[in-house]
Amino acid sequence: MLLKKGAPMSDNQANKIIHFFWNGKRLSAVKGSNLLQAALDNGLDIPHFCHHKELFSAGACRMCLVEIESGNGELFPSCQMNAEEGLRVRSDTHRVKNAIKWSLKFHLREHPLDCPACDKGGECSLQEAYMRFGLFESPAPLDGDRKNTLVPIGDRLMLNEKKCILCTRCIRFLDHVTGTSELGAFGSGKDCKIVAYKSVDNDYSLNLVDLCPVGAMVSRDFHLKQKVWLMNDVETICIGCETSCSIKVSQNRAGVYRIRPAKDPDVNPNWICDYGRSIFHHITATDRLHGPMKSVNGRWETVGYDNLPEIIGKKNVKFILNSSLTNEEVEAVICEAKPDAVALYNLPNEGDDFDGLLQRSKKNINWRGVHRIFEKANIDHQNSGLEAVVAGLTKDDIVFLVVPELIVDHDHFATLVERIQGEATLIGLTTNYGVCSTEKFEFLFPLPTFLEKSGTIKNYKGLNRCLRKGENVYGDADRDLLYYSKVVRDIK
Ligand code: SF4
Ligand code: SF4
Ligand code: FES
């Protein structure tokens, strides 16, 4: 009945549904699955710290104890057992409850209960457990200075040794998922602690903050920025690469604070890369463009949206789009604005690299969707199409150049801007004005960021992925490509 690690199952064993009983409740599971996980999947709320669905079980925290109904009273950690037909376990006996309470007291032995000031407060498994068991008194630390708070362990991470409950999730993630093994547990008894052999700087390091069941793993970026209960999460997709992981963006009216993974069986497990977690800072940056601007002798002056028809006048309208736009944005320009020319700017030399976990080198995230729309409209989406538009520019033309929201090759984009500058009137459509060569534009008009618009893209697998607009907006979300396309349509 105890889990035999690595024991193979035959094919007909593998998918067999069995029934077991937890506190008398009949539950079902695939034969041989992890007992704790099976109970959790059936909707039971069982305190646990070290077990994680996507990591090997460690049996370290002793919070998931159960007693077998027909047994001799011995207690077992359910995360170390298999779900078997007819198995009957209880976690509601006095004996089990007492043992769990002792485990919890042990975890709280040195743990400072400063939950209101902790980044994890409000979503911490330890906090939930001691509230449930009524252990509200913070026990006096054994000897306060043996362990440290906020030890730097990487460029993006700090470790609060006093809060660590030695569940080893962080070690197992680095050993088995990234394979970088930067952390280990050193010492014994009360001196045992997590130690970094080397700086934890791998591309997935910030997942440790989510995996840590308590507030011991601290993100330098998020530390003390906002309380969990003062934010709401928007589920959308990452625009960092063509994988397009599902993400949750935590925001409120005052700002955007963090990005975390939203598990999606088609694309990503419960983790994402650190780059994907960092792509929100421009949304509330000081260079966010809140209204149209005109360059006058090297200075920006505000103009109104209603000046746009006058700026366009009788000029030929040409759009240069990019492959990080949504299908709907590109369709709006091609089908609604019907400009005199449309071309596509592609980021160069992207390669086709994949890091083996999630990250892909292609940042033109929606190239599949955008190419399809261009092909349908019989427009050249290759560099040859862009070359033809740029080479043919005259003073009678006005170019709407859409600045990619996350530019990764500034020099390449700057070269394009320089080639257009002086040849035609140049309007930049952008989320931020400090991003790339914007000083060379004659006009800048705002666009919404990925968190302020809805739409679809096609990811690396050809799956349709949905961007969802958050509850809060920080720029002018109404002035999007559909708006500008309608203005152009009405003039022509
Ligand atoms: S730092 Fe967090 S994840 Fe790592 S062992 Fe300690 S409690 Fe567990
Ligand atoms: S792998 Fe790509 S899509 Fe996923 S989080 Fe990272 S950058 Fe974003
Ligand atoms: S969850 Fe079972 S021992 Fe930690």
Side-chain angles (χ1 to χ4, degrees):
M1 208 168 297
L2 274 177
L3 183 73
K4 290 195 187 86
K5 281 184 190 158
M9 275 191 284
S10 65
D11 282 352
N12 48 359
Q13 261 183 322
N15 292 322
K16 191 174 169 204
I17 300 295
I18 55 91
H19 296 96
F20 65 100
F21 296 83
W22 189 294
N23 295 342
K25 193 169 178 191
R26 187 172 184 261
L27 306 173
S28 56
V30 173
K31 181 179 165 61
S33 52
N34 181 289
L35 180 62
L36 171 61
Q37 190 58 54
L40 294 169
D41 289 345
N42 273 278
L44 297 198
D45 182 11
I46 303 155
H48 61 282
F49 299 148
C50 68
H51 171 79
H52 188 281
K53 190 174 185 171
E54 283 155 349
L55 298 175
F56 288 114
S57 248
C61 72
R62 291 310 197 248
M63 287 297 293
C64 65
L65 295 172
V66 289
E67 192 172 346
I68 296 168
E69 278 189 16
S70 56
N72 59 4
E74 202 179 337
L75 306 184
F76 297 97
S78 57
C79 67
Q80 299 295 293
M81 297 169 72
N82 287 336
E84 300 287 355
E85 182 63 51
L87 176 66
R88 305 184 80 98
V89 297
R90 301 209 76 94
S91 62
D92 58 355
T93 64
H94 183 67
R95 198 179 165 79
V96 174
K97 282 184 177 167
N98 233 2
I100 293 175
K101 210 162 172 172
W102 273 106
S103 299
L104 190 55
K105 277 187 177 163
F106 179 77
H107 295 307
L108 286 165
R109 195 180 51 164
E110 291 186 89
H111 194 102
L113 288 185
D114 60 352
C115 308
C118 176
D119 294 339
K120 200 81 170 185
E123 54 189 24
C124 169
S125 303
L126 185 63
Q127 185 186 25
E128 267 171 43
Y130 81 71
M131 302 282 278
R132 178 186 294 194
F133 286 87
L135 300 176
F136 298 108
E137 295 298 320
S138 180
L142 282 179
D143 38 86
D145 51 3
R146 269 184 321 101
K147 294 187 177 176
N148 301 305
T149 54
L150 302 182
V151 181
I153 57 165
D155 286 347
R156 298 175 286 278
L157 278 177
M158 297 183 286
L159 171 65
N160 188 328
E161 293 177 348
K162 290 186 194 234
K163 291 193 175 170
C164 173
I165 57 165
L166 292 167
C167 73
T168 72
R169 281 188 187 183
C170 52
I171 298 174
R172 284 176 281 148
F173 178 78
L174 297 175
D175 284 350
H176 302 298
V177 179
T178 61
T180 44
S181 301
E182 294 98 332
L183 296 179
F186 277 84
S188 58
K190 65 185 173 58
D191 291 322
C192 186
K193 59 181 178 181
I194 300 294
V195 173
Y197 303 105
K198 52 186 175 183
S199 197
V200 190
D201 291 333
N202 68 71
D203 290 342
Y204 293 82
S205 67
L206 285 171
N207 290 296
L208 301 188
V209 179
D210 299 339
L211 280 170
C212 182
V214 296
M217 280 291 169
V218 178
S219 154
R220 289 174 190 254
D221 188 40
F222 180 63
H223 185 45
L224 298 182
K225 292 271 168 56
Q226 193 50 277
K227 296 293 158 219
V228 164
W229 56 90
L230 296 178
M231 301 183 288
N232 52 61
D233 281 345
V234 184
E235 284 211 14
T236 183
I237 54 165
C238 174
I239 59 160
C241 80
E242 63 165 354
T243 304
S244 74
C245 295
S246 291
I247 55 171
K248 291 182 279 194
V249 187
S250 304
Q251 62 164 195
N252 60 26
R253 281 169 62 188
V256 184
Y257 301 98
R258 63 178 180 181
I259 291 181
R260 295 178 300 152
K263 187 174 173 165
D264 185 331
D266 289 327
V267 180
N268 56 297
N270 244 329
W271 30 84
I272 52 170
C273 74
D274 287 0
Y275 173 61
R277 288 180 190 258
S278 73
I279 60 163
F280 65 88
H281 292 105
H282 66 289
I283 298 174
T284 52
T286 50
D287 71 344
R288 188 70 203 276
L289 187 60
H290 293 286
M293 297 202 295
K294 177 184 182 184
S295 174
V296 181
N297 299 326
R299 294 164 58 94
W300 288 113
E301 285 182 5
T302 51
V303 287
Y305 288 104
D306 48 8
N307 292 119
L308 190 52
E310 186 192 322
I311 295 166
I312 296 172
K314 297 207 173 311
K315 288 189 164 42
N316 305 313
V317 178
K318 303 187 172 175
F319 272 82
I320 301 180
L321 307 177
N322 62 66
S323 302
S324 58
L325 296 170
T326 64
N327 299 325
E328 292 73 13
E329 288 174 305
V330 174
E331 271 165 0
V333 171
I334 291 178
C335 306
E336 195 78 33
K338 296 194 172 73
D340 297 290
V342 187
L344 191 64
Y345 166 74
N346 284 305
L347 294 164
N349 309 323
E350 292 200 297
D352 206 3
D353 295 338
F354 173 51
D355 71 356
L357 280 176
L358 290 168
Q359 243 185 338
R360 290 180 161 79
S361 56
K362 281 203 169 71
K363 309 292 178 199
N364 286 304
I365 56 163
N366 189 26
W367 67 267
R368 280 179 174 78
V370 174
H371 285 194
R372 190 180 51 85
I373 298 166
F374 268 63
E375 280 160 13
K376 243 171 105 182
N378 220 4
I379 303 170
D380 185 358
H381 54 68
Q382 309 284 352
N383 279 342
S384 48
L386 180 62
E387 278 303 314
V389 169
V390 175
L393 290 176
T394 71
K395 298 278 184 228
D396 291 333
D397 295 332
I398 185 163
V399 178
F400 285 84
L401 174 55
V402 182
V403 182
E405 192 173 338
L406 303 175
I407 288 188
V408 287
D409 191 330
H410 289 248
D411 291 345
H412 188 258
F413 188 74
T415 308
L416 174 66
V417 174
E418 275 162 24
R419 287 183 63 198
I420 301 171
Q421 189 191 21
E423 301 297 324
T425 305
L426 180 56
I427 298 188
L429 299 178
T430 186
T431 59
N432 296 63
Y433 62 81
V435 283
C436 186
S437 302
T438 38
E439 71 284 357
K440 296 188 175 137
F441 289 79
E442 283 162 65
F443 297 92
L444 291 177
F445 277 73
L447 281 181
T449 61
F450 74 96
L451 191 59
E452 296 158 325
K453 64 185 181 188
S454 302
T456 56
I457 65 139
K458 263 195 195 309
N459 82 344
Y460 76 105
K461 280 185 187 173
L463 286 178
N464 284 325
R465 310 277 293 146
C466 292
L467 274 170
R468 282 193 198 86
K469 189 172 171 180
E471 270 179 36
N472 303 103
V473 293
Y474 310 92
D476 189 344
D478 292 335
R479 314 304 165 139
D480 54 10
L481 270 173
L482 185 59
Y483 167 81
Y484 297 116
S485 298
K486 283 182 177 158
V487 173
V488 171
R489 179 200 63 191
D490 292 346
I491 291 170
K492 284 175 125 303

